[in-house]
Amino acid sequence: MIYRQNFIKELTLAAVGIFAVVLAVLVSTQAVNLLGRAADGRVAVDAVAALIGFWTLGMTPLLLVLTAYISTLAVLTRFWRDSEMSVWLSCGLSLKQWLRPVLAFALPFAVLIAVMQLSVLPWAELRSREFAELLKQKQELSLVEEGEFRTLGKRNGRVYFVETFDTESGVMKNLFLREQDSKGRENVVFAKEGRFALNDHKRTLELTQGYRYSGIPGEADYNRVGFERLSLVISATPKIINPIDHRRTIPTANLIGSDNPQYRAELMWRLSLPLAALILCILAVPLSYFNPRTGHTYNILFAIGFFLIYQNGLTFLRKAVENGKIGFWAGFLPLHLLMLAAALLLLRVRSLPAQPFARMLKAALKGSKP
């Protein structure tokens, strides 16, 4: 029918605009955050664009759910505000007849979310963690500048100087290092060569062919020790999780039938978002009700409340499944069925003749016909 074509066209245009605006806001916020961390030296400057890309890809499924929900709500609310829905109902047509075009609009979103959740995001998460691991190994190396005095690690009083630095091999030539321990003893190290390394989850500076002078400033008891190799611990890094073993990187086929509660929780989350997109679009049909005479926008507040309950409820149930408190089906089905029941009940309420909401709700629960 013509109204369905125009309705889906308007929904599509609204979805494109909403997705672009929300994505721009989220990406710009994350970019500012990462640029601030890069300015502090916590993230390599060259890695900012890649990290933004991985983060955006991970946020896309939830963003698509929001886009489908807000688009349906906004377009149908406009129909109520401009009295188009009143004309529709006065012609004897039911509000339930909007479900078919709404589902026709929401189904591609659900399919796209399912594809991303079940196949694309595990791959992207694996690449992201591998990239993060590589950054950890090269973090200190990316900060080396020849011919400049720079601080080393988080230890106070530790300064180093490099005469020449080969960016290809990571080897530093003619290196000077000064540090001071908690007892006030000063250590000065000269070495012909040095390079950063990551050994046993500790970031170290490996020095070769040099001398180490140690003592207290102002006293003549300095010790001089020559060495062929010297390893200095710069900082301890947290144990890096093997990317292949992390639950968010596991292929979906490997999650099915697993007895691991964490894997069950991950499978529940991947399957929940596509279903949530469909149910929220159905819920948007009765929640879009708007009375142009009063001008109140209480429906928007109810729509936000339902979304927060849905999202937080899924997160809570995922944690319960992950901790082994409930089974997979006990965490997966109840909230979806509850939200679907609420959507159908509100749809029946809005199909009844105009009267106080409490009376309409009571009539809908009793199964009275309009």
Side-chain angles (χ1 to χ4, degrees):
M1 296 176 66
I2 297 177
Y3 87 93
R4 292 181 181 176
Q5 297 176 356
N6 293 334
F7 176 61
I8 293 178
K9 181 180 179 180
E10 187 170 350
L11 282 175
T12 303
L13 293 176
V16 171
I18 291 171
F19 183 83
V21 171
V22 177
L23 181 64
V25 172
L26 292 178
V27 170
S28 60
T29 303
Q30 183 68 4
V32 171
N33 180 32
L34 287 175
L35 288 174
R37 295 171 64 185
D40 295 338
R42 291 177 290 171
V43 175
V45 176
D46 297 338
V48 172
L51 291 177
I52 291 175
F54 285 126
W55 181 86
T56 303
L57 191 60
M59 286 293 296
T60 299
L62 185 58
L63 184 56
L64 289 174
V65 173
L66 269 173
T67 300
Y69 182 46
I70 296 175
S71 301
T72 306
L73 189 67
V75 172
L76 288 177
T77 300
R78 188 196 67 78
F79 281 10
W80 282 102
R81 186 180 63 248
D82 295 344
S83 301
E84 293 183 25
M85 193 65 73
S86 300
V87 174
W88 173 274
L89 296 177
S90 64
C91 294
L93 299 175
S94 171
L95 193 62
K96 294 180 180 179
Q97 291 180 267
W98 287 98
L99 291 180
R100 186 171 181 178
V102 165
L103 289 176
F105 167 76
L107 188 58
F109 280 87
V111 172
L112 181 58
I113 294 169
V115 171
M116 295 193 67
Q117 285 283 96
L118 299 179
S119 60
V120 177
L121 288 189
W123 171 86
E125 185 68 22
L126 178 60
R127 300 284 86 81
S128 175
R129 290 179 178 274
E130 288 178 345
F131 187 67
E133 183 178 2
L134 183 62
L135 288 180
K136 289 179 181 179
Q137 296 175 359
K138 295 184 176 181
Q139 184 179 18
E140 292 291 342
L141 190 62
S142 64
L143 299 177
V144 174
E145 293 287 346
E146 59 183 26
E148 293 185 7
F149 286 91
R150 302 184 69 90
T151 58
L152 184 62
K154 298 181 179 180
R155 188 170 177 176
N156 294 330
R158 179 177 276 181
V159 180
Y160 74 99
F161 176 88
V162 177
E163 184 176 346
T164 59
F165 173 59
D166 186 356
T167 57
E168 296 293 333
S169 62
V171 175
M172 297 171 282
K173 298 284 187 179
N174 299 330
L175 187 141
F176 162 83
L177 175 68
R178 174 192 175 276
E179 64 177 357
Q180 190 174 23
D181 58 23
S182 58
K183 297 180 180 180
R185 181 176 293 273
E186 188 176 86
N187 299 314
V188 178
V189 179
F190 296 93
K192 289 186 177 180
E193 290 186 358
R195 65 188 308 161
F196 291 106
L198 188 66
N199 299 318
D200 194 22
H201 308 298
K202 292 182 179 179
R203 190 169 290 111
T204 60
L205 177 61
E206 305 292 337
L207 303 175
T208 58
Q209 300 181 10
Y211 296 91
R212 180 172 185 170
Y213 302 87
S214 61
I216 299 177
E219 298 183 5
D221 61 345
Y222 271 74
N223 297 324
R224 177 179 181 270
V225 178
F227 59 86
E228 285 294 326
R229 296 185 62 86
L230 178 64
S231 180
L232 299 177
V233 177
I234 300 172
S235 62
T237 61
K239 183 177 180 181
I240 299 175
I241 300 175
N242 186 356
I244 301 177
D245 294 337
H246 195 270
R247 62 182 176 84
R248 295 180 63 183
T249 64
I250 299 293
T252 303
N254 297 343
L255 297 178
I256 300 175
S258 175
D259 294 331
N260 189 327
Q262 292 186 349
Y263 289 3
R264 290 181 176 180
E266 181 64 21
L267 179 61
M268 170 204 157
W269 180 255
R270 293 184 189 181
L271 295 175
S272 291
L273 286 187
L275 190 57
L278 294 174
I279 295 176
L280 282 172
C281 286
I282 296 175
L283 187 62
V285 175
L287 288 179
S288 64
Y289 172 78
F290 177 84
N291 189 345
R293 294 182 179 180
T294 61
H296 297 310
T297 56
Y298 298 137
N299 63 317
I300 302 299
L301 298 179
F302 284 116
I304 295 174
F306 272 104
F307 178 79
L308 293 177
I309 292 173
Y310 206 170
Q311 179 67 22
N312 292 331
L314 288 176
T315 303
F316 174 79
L317 290 174
R318 181 178 64 172
K319 288 293 184 181
V321 174
E322 184 177 345
N323 295 332
K325 296 180 180 179
I326 58 176
F328 172 81
W329 293 109
F332 177 69
L333 289 178
L335 188 58
H336 294 301
L337 294 177
L338 180 63
M339 296 300 291
L340 181 59
L344 296 178
L345 178 63
L346 289 176
L347 192 64
R348 182 169 180 79
V349 167
R350 290 305 173 196
S351 299
L352 294 175
Q355 53 186 313
F357 180 79
R359 190 180 303 172
M360 287 192 298
L361 181 60
K362 184 177 180 180
L365 291 173
K366 290 182 177 180
S368 301
K369 295 183 179 181

